[in-house]
Amino acid sequence: MSGSVGPNEKGYFGEFGGCFVPETLMTPVLELAAAYEEAREDEEFQRELTYYLMEFAGRPTPLTFARGLSEEVGRGARIYLKREDLLHTGAHKLNNTLGQVLLARRMGKRRVVAETGAGQHGVATATAAALFGLECVIYMGAEDVRRQAPNVQRMRILGASVHEVETGSRTLKDAINEAMRDWVTHVGHTAFILGSVLGPHPYPMMVRDFQATIGREVREQILDAEDRLPDRLVACVGGGSNSIGLFSEFLADDGVAMVGVEAGGEGVASGRHAARFAGGAPGVFQGTLTQVLQDAHGNILTTHSISAGLDYPAVGPEHSRLHQIGRVRYVDVGDEEALAGFHFLARREGIIPALESSHAVAWVMRTEVLEPHELVIINLSGRGDKDLDEVARQAGMGA
Ligand SMILES: *Cc1c(COP(=O)(O)O)cnc(C)c1O
């Protein structure tokens, strides 16, 4: 994997990562790691995955020159959008769920469980499970079930059962806890399909590898279009899978700068945000040692973002490493700025982006953050159909 910085055999990226799970999960996690190592080297598995990525999911996705955005930013900037919004189910998530569900089938599992926040990962898991004929159970916080009704409907139509989680803040982190509990109980025939580069080893590595298809395509596409590598890559960072999928292919290219955009919410000073690198500290959370938003006693803080996909208190351990060594710069963009990016892209490029991706667009639109004549690629992680109600609600409140 070109430019990848690990992890080591214990799942550590420098001092971050690892595998912090209860005794009962140790065996299934090791089993999964072994099965993945094997599948990774197996040409037949890779060929099958590539087949479904192309013939079912619609890869490769286009790399679109963004004329309106380039003009707006000015100073000779040339900005391209990697169009994961055009992938089947509307976001990059399917790259990962196709890989993990194929692996589950290879391991002889009949049933998959997954967590979901906004519902994008739940929909992508239910889609892959339907394709391969596996039983699918999705855990979703009761609060998110209420906020994301259309995605709940999609999952049920795809044949998944959606379990509402009533514990804790009734959102994503509680859904992950429940999905892990289910996995422990039914581990013989069940696989746990995790949605981002989070959790215990091997998930951060495996999800990165499955998402790295984004960066591999971008390298080829930008060399075709511009005959050179980009100066900068920009992507939003929730758990960190779409960004690492773009970045990993270029980590060894010193001339390629990288920016990860976290959710600044209502501002870091307000405490209502999900900017882990601006306001967090290292700690163990949901199976991995990484940068986490926590108080002085190690209690996990509540987060806020206009985009549910960025609204999570921890970030993938590889990002913590890339931050520590200074290879990737992490910034935050707030709710209002992200909304401005959303509307700009809709009106000037004819693309309605996900609110998550809008954070990356908005950072590029800040005055003179780019050097003159930069060649920039923004990962458009998903489409904004799921966000129309939220955007309308915001517009109503502002009026
Ligand atoms: C889930 C999601 C994200 C955030 O997750 P990452 O793992 O950080 O990529 C970003 N954008 C979209 C459209 C999503 O669905």
Side-chain angles (χ1 to χ4, degrees):
M1 203 66 31
S2 105
S4 110
V5 292
N8 69 14
E9 71 286 352
K10 290 211 153 75
Y12 280 87
F13 303 87
E15 67 199 61
F16 300 102
C19 184
F20 297 83
V21 295
E23 198 58 36
T24 41
L25 271 183
M26 213 52 216
T27 306
V29 163
L30 288 172
E31 227 173 67
L32 176 65
Y36 176 61
E37 290 291 346
E38 229 181 74
R40 193 187 195 188
E41 303 306 322
D42 180 358
E43 276 178 33
E44 186 48 39
F45 177 81
Q46 295 298 341
R47 210 179 1 253
E48 202 176 10
L49 177 55
T50 303
Y51 171 85
Y52 286 106
L53 287 171
M54 293 174 67
E55 304 301 326
F56 178 73
R59 303 214 72 87
T61 58
L63 183 69
T64 306
F65 178 64
R67 184 175 313 281
L69 188 56
S70 300
E71 279 170 14
E72 177 74 10
V73 167
R75 303 162 82 226
R78 292 182 63 76
I79 302 169
Y80 285 80
L81 304 171
K82 179 57 172 168
R83 302 292 307 281
E84 293 302 292
D85 61 310
L86 292 179
L87 197 68
H88 181 41
T89 73
H92 66 291
K93 297 280 196 316
L94 191 62
N95 298 321
N96 170 46
T97 59
L98 280 176
Q100 284 195 54
V101 173
L102 265 176
L103 183 63
R105 194 181 65 165
R106 180 186 164 100
M107 293 173 75
K109 309 291 185 187
R110 302 190 308 274
R111 178 175 179 269
V112 296
V113 297
E115 83 296 347
T116 197
Q120 291 300 107
H121 174 59
V123 169
T125 302
T127 299
L131 177 64
F132 298 119
L134 302 186
E135 184 189 341
C136 179
V137 176
I138 304 293
Y139 289 89
M140 190 169 184
E143 185 58 27
D144 291 330
V145 168
R146 188 186 58 75
R147 287 191 292 199
Q148 308 288 340
N151 272 342
V152 175
Q153 225 173 345
R154 277 184 198 106
M155 289 182 254
R156 290 190 167 135
I157 286 170
L158 288 160
S161 45
V162 180
H163 290 211
E164 288 189 41
V165 176
E166 300 280 0
T167 53
S169 58
R170 307 155 88 222
T171 58
L172 178 60
K173 70 177 169 48
D174 314 293
I176 294 182
N177 288 337
E178 284 306 314
M180 283 191 157
R181 213 160 287 152
D182 180 309
W183 192 29
V184 173
T185 317
H186 303 101
V187 74
H189 64 289
T190 297
F192 175 37
I193 312 294
L194 188 56
S196 189
V197 285
L198 296 162
H201 179 67
Y203 285 102
M205 170 182 78
M206 179 168 70
V207 177
R208 175 200 65 201
D209 292 351
F210 288 142
Q211 293 293 356
T213 185
I214 298 173
R216 280 196 298 273
E217 286 174 12
V218 163
R219 176 180 284 268
E220 222 172 273
Q221 290 168 320
I222 197 67
L223 286 174
D224 268 355
E226 296 276 346
D227 208 22
R228 70 179 185 96
L229 291 181
D231 296 308
R232 200 186 299 263
L233 307 172
V234 184
C236 65
V237 183
S241 69
N242 85 85
S243 50
I244 210 79
L246 174 63
F247 296 168
S248 61
E249 182 67 17
F250 296 91
L251 285 172
D253 300 295
D254 292 335
V256 182
M258 300 178 193
V259 178
V261 185
E262 299 187 284
E266 294 172 11
V268 172
S270 75
R272 287 179 51 77
H273 65 89
R276 288 70 45 104
F277 289 115
V284 172
F285 183 59
Q286 295 188 324
T288 188
L289 171 54
T290 191
Q291 191 78 7
V292 182
L293 284 173
Q294 53 188 315
D295 68 15
H297 308 289
N299 299 309
I300 303 307
L301 297 175
T302 13
T303 52
H304 164 80
S305 170
I306 191 174
S307 62
L310 304 185
D311 198 352
Y312 183 72
V315 65
E318 188 168 2
H319 285 284
S320 295
R321 174 66 176 164
L322 293 170
H323 172 257
Q324 186 183 48
I325 63 176
R327 179 63 185 94
V328 178
R329 176 180 170 202
Y330 294 86
V331 299
D332 50 88
V333 160
D335 292 347
E336 274 183 36
E337 226 182 322
L339 268 174
F342 173 94
H343 287 298
F344 183 89
L345 218 62
R347 288 182 195 171
R348 292 288 299 279
E349 300 288 352
I351 298 169
I352 301 177
L355 280 173
E356 289 84 0
S357 328
S358 302
H359 286 70
V361 173
W363 183 80
V364 168
M365 290 175 67
R366 281 186 183 172
T367 311
E368 302 193 357
V369 290
L370 305 183
E371 302 294 327
H373 304 288
E374 262 198 50
L375 179 56
V376 179
I377 293 165
I378 302 174
N379 203 19
L380 215 65
S381 53
R383 66 178 185 228
D385 305 43
K386 67 184 176 58
D387 297 316
L388 298 184
D389 281 351
E390 182 64 25
V391 170
R393 210 174 60 83
Q394 296 285 333
M397 279 166 54

